[in-house]
Amino acid sequence: MAVTASRSYPVQPSSDLAKKIWERLRRRKAGLFALIMILLQIVLALVAPLIMPYDPLKGDYASVLQPPSGQYLLGTDDLGRDVLSRLILGSRVSIAVGIFSQLTIVLIGIPVGALSGLVGGWVDYLIMRLIDVLSSLPSLLLYILLMIVLGAGMWNIILAMSLTGWIGIARLVRGQVLSLKATDYVRAARAMGGNTWWGITRHLLRNSLSPVIVALTLGVPGAMFAEAGLSLLGLGIAPPTPSWGQMIGDGTRYFRTNWYLITFPSLILTFTILFWMMLGEALQEALDPRGS
């Protein structure tokens, strides 16, 4: 009887893979700068009550619509509230909506997409038809209808975005699972006795996470922009709690006479969205196994 020698192939540890990805990200200066700015914004949002120069909800009626000055660095609004303090507090809402909505979307989209791609058959058919129906509806219009039903509020915005936002992640994961199911190493794992759950967690989901991470990062600015649009229409965050979108909406009434009311929140929102997009592009390159 001929004896065949078994050949073992080294498996790259997760720590080495994470280190390699970090080294790739560090070489992309724009992405690293964006990551630092995002982390700084998150820290400032967490310690907002400690660094706000004034109470963002309390107005000084003797200082209504004051332009930027030594006392009020970014001016005051139509109720005498400090714009800088409201921008700092508003960062909590805008960043929280962007991050938590995407985390919820991922938690829904990954299992749905994995189930659709792995099981196939009538399960895949039903899920894909549901996705086709939801995809045919304009996202912003659906958000508006849901917010009218649910009412204003941060958690209602997150819920409204999560009800339809998981579609893209589910499609992405389904496509990844379908392509990975046909690979040799997944077939070999099944032939060697690996059970379905082990194959899902060890191979399918693990190898599908890279595009999901990139999609999550690029989805955060989209959620922030959607929140700004809803708040601009009066369907987002309920006053007096500030958000960047709400401040932009309030500032449009005084655009000709008090430019700073719309300029500063618009700049903050624009640069925040830009930072997340820069980070997403850098992560896409760093997570690409063909990259260097």
Side-chain angles (χ1 to χ4, degrees):
M1 180 182 297
V3 179
T4 57
S6 61
R7 182 179 299 177
S8 60
Y9 297 92
V11 178
Q12 189 175 21
S14 299
S15 58
D16 292 344
L17 181 60
K19 184 178 180 181
K20 186 175 182 180
I21 293 173
W22 170 245
E23 290 298 327
R24 290 179 180 176
L25 183 61
R26 284 180 57 186
R27 290 197 294 267
R28 289 157 175 83
K29 302 301 182 183
L32 186 60
F33 172 74
L35 177 61
I36 293 173
M37 296 304 297
I38 289 171
L39 292 177
L40 179 61
Q41 281 188 329
I42 293 175
V43 171
L44 292 178
L46 292 175
V47 300
L50 303 177
I51 61 175
M52 290 185 299
Y54 298 96
D55 186 345
L57 306 181
K58 183 178 180 181
D60 180 7
Y61 297 105
S63 303
V64 173
L65 295 176
Q66 292 294 314
S69 63
Q71 182 180 5
Y72 299 105
L73 295 180
L74 300 183
T76 61
D77 63 6
D78 55 342
L79 297 178
R81 298 172 296 191
D82 181 47
V83 172
L84 176 59
S85 300
R86 290 179 64 77
L87 282 174
I88 295 173
L89 184 61
S91 65
R92 283 188 160 189
V93 174
S94 298
I95 294 175
V97 168
I99 293 177
F100 287 126
S101 65
Q102 293 307 300
L103 290 177
T104 307
I105 285 170
V106 166
L107 291 176
I108 298 173
I110 287 180
V112 172
L115 177 67
S116 178
L118 188 66
V119 176
W122 64 270
V123 175
D124 180 42
Y125 179 82
L126 290 178
I127 292 176
M128 292 309 298
R129 296 297 74 77
L130 174 62
I131 289 177
D132 290 340
V133 171
L134 294 177
S135 299
S136 64
L137 303 174
S139 298
L140 185 58
L141 177 60
L142 191 57
Y143 292 161
I144 292 174
L145 294 176
L146 289 173
M147 290 306 299
I148 292 175
V149 174
L150 298 173
M154 184 181 75
W155 296 109
N156 287 342
I157 293 177
I158 294 174
L159 177 59
M161 292 182 180
S162 303
L163 289 177
T164 57
W166 58 270
I167 295 173
I169 296 294
R171 276 180 169 169
L172 180 63
V173 173
R174 174 183 177 270
Q176 289 291 313
V177 169
L178 287 176
S179 62
L180 292 170
K181 276 172 58 177
T183 57
D184 293 336
Y185 63 86
V186 173
R187 292 176 178 175
R190 288 181 176 177
M192 295 173 64
N195 58 39
T196 302
W197 176 251
W198 186 88
I200 293 173
T201 56
R202 181 68 177 175
H203 291 296
L204 297 181
L205 288 183
R206 186 174 179 180
N207 287 281
S208 301
L209 284 181
S210 295
V212 169
I213 293 173
V214 174
L216 186 150
T217 308
L218 294 175
V220 170
M224 288 183 176
F225 192 77
E227 181 274 324
L230 291 172
S231 296
L232 185 64
L233 296 174
L235 299 172
I237 305 302
T241 303
S243 76
W244 295 337
Q246 181 197 87
M247 294 179 68
I248 294 172
D250 293 340
T252 54
R253 294 178 293 174
Y254 304 97
F255 176 70
R256 295 182 179 276
T257 56
N258 303 89
W259 57 270
Y260 57 89
L261 291 178
I262 190 173
T263 301
F264 292 128
S266 297
L267 287 175
I268 292 292
L269 180 61
T270 300
F271 278 109
T272 302
I273 290 175
L274 179 62
F275 291 148
W276 280 97
M277 294 184 69
M278 289 167 58
L279 178 60
E281 292 179 359
L283 282 175
Q284 189 173 16
E285 297 175 357
L287 291 170
D288 188 351
R290 298 166 297 180
S292 58

